[in-house]
Amino acid sequence: MVPSAVRQSPSVPNPTEAMKQSEQRKALQIFLVLCGAYVASQFYRVANAAIAPELMTELELSAEAMGGITGLFFFAFAAAQIPTGVLLDRYGARVTMTTLFLVAVLGSITFAVANSGLILAIGRILLGVGCAAGLMGAMVVIARWYPEDRFARLSALLFVIGGGGTLLATTPLSWAVEIIGWRGAFIGMAGLTGIFAALLFLLVRDGPPGKSVKEDPVESWHEVLGGLRTVLRNRQLWLVSVIQFVGYATVLTVVGLWGGPYLADVHKLDGVARGNVLLTLNIAVLVGVLIYGRLDRYFVKRKWLIVAGAISTAVILGLLAVLEQPNFWIATALLLLFATVGSYVMLNHAFARSVLPNHLIGRGLTFQNLAVFLGVAVIQSASGLIVGSWDTSSGPSPEIAYRWIFTFLAILLVVAATIFSFAKDGAADRN
């Protein structure tokens, strides 16, 4: 006879399998927390689009000031990128993200209590610094908790879920503004951001049990500087940085800044109606991300898909620029097409990764990511100067001011796409 203990052994849980399942549950829990934190980061990026008219009226801000203040978030975000990378390597994502999100809490409160453009600007700077690790920190954690073959898929999912923050900054924000005002809305977001900071500290771990956070030997400062010099000599990285400087900035300048004022001044929409349109535009951006993700599989040369996306986006902006007094539905249809087609920017990071050797991925991606947010800061500030060149003391900005913004962005895209077309894909065949 077979002993009872032996007969029952198959039903005894396998300790290794149980440990693996526990680790998978923990990884999923951490991923969800990271997604939630990234939602808050995305909200702060674009929230000004929905409330810009209210801010300009209550605080007596000019169009130039509104554009400049909005752009400060991205200047601060860009300036914090390299220091944030050092902190992520030195102290880990858990501590770094928690600390920076507490800075974002302070920024949201400062923004909410602002009684002048200066205080509003300080709030935006604090928010930019506080959100600096929202994406990069999450990617560091994902890379340590999940196998390499799932990294791209989970990073895309993080981006799409994080897009919920841009949706939160549209109709829901407009509703909140009608009920508790924009100040109350930002106090509420400060509380939500604080909750995410607590969850990051309590639930997130830098790596699975037993896995070293620092697997690679620490570089000397001489090696670090040598790597930076190599990155700066990478011609392909400079070329993709040109399209990075313009691409995302174009989308955010319309969807994240002037879309709301355009709908208010030209099409006379109230707060909730503006929020509804902006909500739809942000959904279109996420749909575009998914579409380009599929298209990327069928293009041997990713470069040409990026160029096609940029030129198509420029054409749509050109139509918005030349059409005089288009009715609301035509204008909205063009804006939706713009938001969808303009989502090609998601491919730029993948292109940058393809032209970098493994040991320079961090420094190289950080470098081109600086171009992204410097571009947003510079181009949004410039767009404020364009609108401000018209006298708006007697009322709303004229339609022609917005048409010049569309023209400005279209020209920048054509120039950037032309320069980028000289780049060479890192992988000749990706099929």
Side-chain angles (χ1 to χ4, degrees), residues 186-354:
F186 270 78
I187 290 293
M189 275 305 298
L192 183 61
T193 306
I195 291 173
F196 283 128
L199 291 174
L200 286 167
F201 185 76
L202 295 173
L203 300 180
V204 171
R205 294 296 180 267
D206 293 319
K211 182 176 181 180
S212 174
V213 173
K214 295 184 177 181
E215 298 172 339
D216 300 322
V218 178
E219 290 182 311
S220 67
W221 279 110
H222 178 74
E223 291 170 327
V224 169
L225 294 176
L228 286 174
R229 284 193 295 270
T230 301
V231 165
L232 293 176
R233 288 196 297 263
N234 188 322
R235 180 174 181 270
Q236 311 310 317
L237 199 60
W238 278 99
L239 290 172
V240 75
S241 293
V242 172
I243 197 73
Q244 287 285 53
F245 186 87
V246 175
Y248 189 53
T250 300
V251 175
L252 275 194
T253 297
V254 176
V255 177
L257 177 56
W258 295 113
Y262 170 76
L263 294 168
D265 293 346
V266 177
H267 297 286
K268 312 305 178 187
L269 269 61
D270 62 20
V272 172
R274 290 197 310 269
N276 289 335
V277 176
L278 293 173
L279 172 63
T280 308
L281 293 181
N282 281 285
I283 291 174
V285 170
L286 300 181
V287 170
V289 168
L290 297 176
I291 292 173
Y292 277 108
R294 299 283 294 183
L295 289 175
D296 188 49
R297 301 180 183 181
Y298 303 106
F299 277 69
V300 174
K301 294 286 189 178
R302 180 182 285 125
K303 174 184 76 173
W304 294 118
L305 182 54
I306 294 173
V307 170
I311 295 297
S312 299
T313 305
V315 169
I316 298 166
L317 286 167
L319 289 173
L320 284 165
V322 301
L323 290 177
E324 187 175 356
Q325 295 291 340
N327 68 47
F328 168 74
W329 294 109
I330 291 176
T332 301
L334 287 173
L335 288 172
L336 282 170
L337 194 59
F338 161 82
T340 305
V341 175
S343 297
Y344 71 90
V345 296
M346 67 154 290
L347 301 175
N348 296 341
H349 290 293
F351 182 94
R353 166 63 185 92
S354 73

